[in-house]
Amino acid sequence: MRFLRLLVAPLVGLVCLVALAGCTSLSGTGDKGYISGEGVPTEVRAVDRGSPIELTGTDLDGNDVDLADLRGKPVVVNVWASWCGPCIVEQPDLNEVAAELGDDVTFLGLNIRDASQDDAAAFTRKLDVGYASVYSPDGAALLPFAGTLTPRSIPSTVVLDADGRVAASIQGRIPTPQTLVSIVEKVLGE
């Protein structure tokens, strides 16, 4: 009987650990190297927003990008990679929102973890991306978004207010173009 208890206790613990491993709000993608989120927007009230996001980098065309230069109107920052299936599916929706919102908002991509800048540039050409993307193969461009974005959540979208502070985020694909438009319109109305 004692032997049976010694054998059953670790097995029960193992079963509990396996069950808990499935309890997460993130959807896995196996060994793909990223975790796709659920696409649920998280909005931050203006009084609760932190400091402006400070980010500089180089875009896919070799131009310098500084988020501080984009202040004065909301900025939609989308994190993507050329090999990410949900990113490919999401891009037409982002293009639609960018066209609908026009000059009232700036869009900026953050291309992370692509081994080749050529692959990233091919993605933007093929999918008619009409805005710049910072190229960050090591993912360092995500560091200013710590606490909002996780290093492995691709795609993700962050809406910055006119002061450059995080107003909303979506881990995973945007649910619908209208969802993103509604979030940005709220920020525009502040």
Side-chain angles (χ1 to χ4, degrees):
M1 187 69 158
R2 178 176 157 87
F3 174 75
L4 186 58
R5 269 191 234 149
L6 290 174
L7 183 63
V8 171
L11 287 175
V12 170
L14 181 61
V15 168
C16 290
L17 284 174
V18 169
L20 287 174
C23 297
T24 177
S25 64
L26 299 176
S27 303
T29 58
D31 61 354
K32 300 276 192 243
Y34 65 95
I35 300 171
S36 61
E38 297 294 327
V40 178
T42 301
E43 296 182 55
V44 181
R45 296 179 322 153
V47 298
D48 296 329
R49 295 177 191 159
S51 299
I53 299 292
E54 301 291 337
L55 171 72
T56 59
T58 304
D59 71 15
L60 294 170
D61 294 325
N63 300 313
D64 291 334
V65 176
D66 187 342
L67 273 180
D69 294 340
L70 304 178
R71 294 201 181 118
K73 60 183 174 180
V75 177
V76 175
V77 179
N78 179 258
V79 182
W80 62 277
S82 66
W83 44 262
C84 162
C87 300
I88 295 166
V89 172
E90 173 184 64
Q91 192 58 56
D93 291 343
L94 292 167
N95 291 348
E96 178 183 327
V97 174
E100 182 175 337
L101 294 172
D103 292 335
D104 292 335
V105 178
T106 300
F107 275 68
L108 178 68
L110 291 184
N111 172 257
I112 64 166
R113 300 181 57 212
D114 258 323
S116 163
Q117 191 167 343
D118 291 338
D119 290 344
F123 176 99
T124 62
R125 278 192 309 275
K126 181 179 178 184
L127 296 172
D128 296 320
V129 180
Y131 50 87
S133 285
V134 171
Y135 180 62
S136 179
D138 61 0
L142 288 178
L143 292 175
F145 296 93
T148 299
L149 297 178
T150 63
R152 295 174 52 121
S153 292
I154 306 169
S156 294
T157 302
V158 176
V159 178
L160 303 177
D161 64 16
D163 296 324
R165 303 173 306 154
V166 174
S169 63
I170 301 171
Q171 298 269 343
R173 213 176 111 206
I174 61 171
T176 66
Q178 188 55 48
T179 301
L180 184 55
V181 167
S182 294
I183 291 169
V184 173
E185 286 178 343
K186 277 187 197 175
V187 175
L188 280 167
E190 294 176 348

